[in-house]
């Protein structure tokens, strides 16, 4: 055999010298602040996140365990911390069309404030309005107005009665209303007595009838006009008094949200609706029907129209959100409208609108697994539609399936500003790329994660810091230098190349965890090369 091509035993395996590590334990090492060996993928993500314009969403491509999800999460968390918190969104009742709830955007932290303001406002309105309408001043004005209407009606009837009496006719009042009857010698004639009259007398009575009927009809029209005038006057007083009460109570809300034009417009709409429906606030509990009939808003449910449905709020970090949706069904992605059963039908209202992952990530970042998105019916098409239109439109899927009779809503769409990151493996990416042209239109940035990197001083030291970070995060036993050296050797063996090491850190992390377990079994405080070898075996 030619010795030129002969390998010596020590050349078959490259061992890492523990002496190159200048620490006693990985606990002494600083935190790992970057993703090992994925600088090109990270630069691609950085570009996609900052690049303005349509379609610059990101596909993170790499095999499972390559650190793609971890890298995306770490990078997005860092970038999100530098961005301000996005606006909050809520849905409110649309007083013009109840089927189309209105969406309102508020500064961070203000949506819950608006909801609390409205809750207190309605509670105070339900106390103050009945108290005002039960007060003596209102009762005196109402009684005075009714008395004036009655006096004018009485004068109208007396004038009609005098006109009739002058022509020997009487005004008859009965339960069925008013009528005209002939009189003779001051006495009202019955139908039988009238028929026995002399024909000439009867002709004279009949000659009066057209004029009498005209006067009677005129008087009745004027009486009805007085009735309408009285009702309008009562309504005007009610509106005036209700408006005074509402204006005093609603001023606090209007002042608190003077900087939010849509909230001010909503508060004005609430004011108009309360005044128009003041009888709802005055009615006593006993006046409500015992059974709410289908299609009617009775009792407490009617007052839900003044609630505020807070859809999404500011993250606790007060920065841009990073949402990782592991189960991207259509409802969990786009939001949904919940229903309740009433008399065999499914009904709903704007308070039952629920947010999806796109709402939660709006103004920030959304991370999805491509395979999971496409495996859920309608999710992929809905996501593409939202990214194209730059808005989130909640649609009720029950209508599409036609399985139940539903009362549906059409909520106002919410503007969408989000960067979406799809996580996938190379094979699935190639298939999706081949069969869906929209992928390259909507996800123009590809961040490709590699599985092997060069085995050099930098990568070996990064391995040590990775091990230390994992041990701190999961409460594992830290590793001694010889343990890290043995870990690096195994990382090279996994790629069958002495000059390279793997970046599939899920397998490396498992090895660190198992080595920590065996060190515990051996009663050691630090993980040694022996423990790593035991885990490998």
């Amino acid at each position: 055999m030619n010795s030129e091509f002969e390998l010596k035993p020590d050349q078959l395996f490259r061992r890492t010298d523990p002496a190159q590590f200048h620490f006693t334990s990985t606990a002494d090492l600083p935190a790992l602040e970057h993703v090992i060996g994925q600088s090109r993928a990270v630069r691609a993500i950085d570009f996609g996140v900052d690049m303005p314009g349509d379609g610059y969403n990101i596909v993170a491509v790499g095999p499972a365990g390559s650190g793609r999800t971890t890298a995306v999460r770490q990078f997005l968390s860092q970038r999100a911390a530098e961005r301000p918190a996005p606006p909050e969104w809520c849905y409110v009742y649309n007083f013009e069309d109840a089927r189309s709830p209105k969406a309102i955007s508020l500064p961070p932290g203000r949506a819950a404030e608006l909801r609390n303001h409205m809750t207190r406002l309605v509670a105070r309105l339900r106390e103050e309005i009945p108290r005002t309408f039960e007060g003596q001043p209102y009762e005196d004005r109402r009684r005075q107005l009714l008395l004036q209407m009655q006096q004018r009606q009485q004068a109208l009837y007396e004038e009609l009665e005098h006109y009739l009496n002058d022509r020997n006719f009487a005004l008859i009042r009965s339960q069925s209303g008013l009528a005209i009857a002939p009189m003779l010698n001051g006495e009202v004639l019955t139908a039988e007595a009238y028929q026995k009259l002399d024909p000439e007398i009867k002709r004279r009575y009949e000659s009066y009838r057209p004029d009498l009927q005209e006067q009677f009809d005129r008087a009745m029209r004027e009486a009805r006009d007085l009735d309408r005038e009285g009702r309008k006057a009562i309504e005007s007083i009610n509106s005036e008094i209700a408006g005074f009460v509402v204006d005093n109570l609603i001023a606090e809300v209007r002042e608190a949200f003077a900087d939010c034009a849509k909230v001010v417009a909503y508060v004005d709409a609430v004011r108009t609706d309360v005044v128009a429906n003041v009888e709802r606030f005055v009615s006593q509990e006993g006046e409500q029907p015992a059974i709410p009939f289908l299609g009617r808003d009775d009792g407490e449910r009617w007052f839900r129209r003044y609630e505020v449905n807070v859809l999404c709020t500011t993250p606790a970090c007060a920065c841009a959100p990073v949402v990782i949706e592991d189960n991207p069904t259509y409802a969990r992605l786009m939001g949904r409208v919940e229903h309740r059963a009433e008399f065999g039908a499914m009904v709903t209202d704007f308070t039952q609108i629920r947010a999806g992952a796109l709402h939660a990530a709006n103004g920030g970042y959304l991370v999805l697994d491509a395979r999971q998105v496409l495996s859920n019916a309608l999710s992929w098409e809905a996501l593409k539609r939202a990214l194209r239109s730059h808005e989130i439109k909640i649609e009720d899927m029950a209508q599409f399936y036609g399985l139940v009779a539903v009362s549906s809503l059409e909520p106002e769409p919410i503007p969408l500003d989000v960067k979406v990151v799809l996580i996938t493996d190379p094979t699935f990416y190639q298939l999706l790329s081949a069969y869906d042209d929209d992928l390259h239109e909507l996800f123009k940035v590809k961040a490709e994660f590699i599985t092997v990197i060069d085995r050099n001083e930098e990568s070996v030291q990064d391995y040590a810091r990775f091990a230390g970070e994992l041990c701190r995060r999961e409460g594992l036993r830290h590793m001694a230098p010889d343990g890290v050296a043995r870990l690096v050797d195994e990382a090279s063996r996994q790629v069958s190349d002495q000059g390279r090491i793997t970046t599939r850190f899920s397998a490396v992390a498992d090895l660190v965890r198992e080595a920590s377990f065996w060190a515990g079994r051996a009663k050691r405080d630090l993980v040694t090369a022996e423990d790593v070898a035991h885990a490998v075996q």
Side-chain angles (χ1 to χ4, degrees), residues 465-508:
R465 293 171 67 185
F466 166 79
E469 183 73 16
L470 179 66
C471 293
R472 272 191 295 272
R473 187 170 63 248
E474 299 188 6
L476 306 174
R477 286 174 172 78
H478 279 275
M479 304 187 76
D482 64 327
V484 175
R486 184 66 180 83
L487 183 68
V488 173
D489 294 344
E490 178 61 22
S492 274
R493 193 184 70 81
Q494 289 184 5
V495 297
S496 304
D497 190 333
Q498 295 182 14
R500 313 189 83 180
I501 52 178
T502 184
T503 57
R504 302 185 72 162
F505 285 100
S506 60
V508 176

Side-chain angles (χ1 to χ4, degrees), residues 326-330 370-381:
D326 296 322
N327 182 27
T329 62
Y330 178 88
R371 194 183 296 268
Q372 292 295 329
V373 175
L374 271 84
S375 65
N376 282 286
L378 306 177
S379 293
W380 176 241
E381 293 301 324

Side-chain angles (χ1 to χ4, degrees), residues 395-408:
E395 297 177 293
D396 191 352
M397 288 298 98
Q399 287 181 305
F400 291 90
Y401 295 114
L403 299 178
V404 292
V406 296
S407 172
S408 183

Side-chain angles (χ1 to χ4, degrees), residues 107-219:
R110 304 291 299 281
E113 181 185 347
L114 175 61
R115 177 182 59 194
N116 296 337
H117 268 289
M118 290 303 301
T119 301
R120 289 195 298 269
L121 172 65
V122 173
R124 294 180 65 187
L125 287 172
R126 297 182 71 177
E127 291 177 0
E128 295 298 328
I129 290 178
R131 185 180 302 161
T132 301
F133 279 86
E134 291 167 3
Q136 194 62 40
Y138 169 76
E139 192 58 36
D140 289 344
R141 287 188 63 181
R142 185 173 180 275
R143 187 183 298 110
Q144 182 180 3
L145 178 63
L146 291 176
L147 181 60
Q148 291 175 355
M149 292 298 107
Q150 289 172 357
Q151 289 173 347
R152 292 175 62 182
Q153 281 187 336
Q154 184 63 30
L156 181 66
Y157 293 144
E158 288 177 357
E159 180 184 351
L160 176 63
E161 194 166 19
H162 289 153
Y163 180 86
L164 295 174
N165 292 343
D166 289 344
R167 290 157 179 78
N168 289 322
F169 281 85
L171 184 66
I172 307 300
R173 296 175 175 85
S174 65
Q175 291 183 347
S176 59
L178 300 178
I180 301 175
M183 292 192 306
L184 185 64
N185 300 325
E187 297 291 333
V188 176
L189 295 174
T190 64
E192 294 178 356
Y194 181 77
Q195 293 298 327
K196 296 178 181 179
L197 290 176
D198 183 86
E200 184 63 28
I201 297 176
K202 291 171 65 176
R203 277 196 297 272
R204 187 171 67 249
Y205 277 125
E206 293 297 328
S207 66
Y208 289 129
R209 280 196 178 276
D211 291 339
L212 296 180
Q213 189 65 46
E214 181 180 348
Q215 291 297 322
F216 180 80
D217 292 341
R218 180 189 61 80

